[in-house]
Amino acid sequence: LCFSYLCGVYWTLDVWISLRTGFFRDGELILNGSKVACRYLRTWLFPDLILVVCEWLSIISLSLDDTSQSTSAGPLLRLVKVGKILRIIVMI
């Protein structure tokens, strides 16, 4: 459960950081907050929000029922996490 909280906090902070991370367009680094936010909104915001909501719902579910080892959203959550990790690997 402690690791789940850590993951939830990590992915929540990732949304906040991604919302403020610049990007390159035509070789130019764009750091304008509204342009960064608009691009994030069009690209990764919704998949990231799905991940964060699933993560926190899973944490809440585990907190309410300590005997539960998994939730029905488990496979979907893992799939979204894999997509997020692949995105990070591609950026490196």
Side-chain angles (χ1 to χ4, degrees):
L1 190 57
C2 182
F3 182 71
S4 295
Y5 281 115
L6 213 63
C7 287
V9 169
Y10 172 81
W11 292 118
T12 303
L13 288 175
D14 179 67
V15 170
W16 185 81
I17 290 168
S18 295
L19 193 60
R20 288 155 179 75
T21 302
F23 63 96
F24 284 96
R25 183 181 351 171
D26 300 326
E28 179 185 354
L29 179 60
I30 307 296
L31 295 173
N32 179 295
S34 60
K35 289 181 182 179
V36 170
C38 284
R39 180 164 195 249
Y40 184 55
L41 179 70
R42 287 186 318 238
T43 57
W44 282 99
L45 178 64
F46 292 112
D48 286 352
L49 286 179
I50 290 170
L51 173 82
V52 169
V53 168
C54 287
E55 188 72 40
W56 285 109
L57 287 176
S58 174
I59 290 168
I60 291 168
S61 172
L62 288 173
S63 296
L64 295 176
D65 184 19
D66 287 336
T67 61
S68 167
Q69 295 299 319
S70 65
T71 63
S72 61
L76 174 64
L77 183 59
R78 281 192 285 284
L79 181 63
V80 174
K81 284 182 184 179
V82 167
K84 183 76 172 181
I85 291 169
L86 288 175
R87 175 183 149 208
I88 292 169
I89 290 171
V90 168
M91 289 182 353
I92 296 173

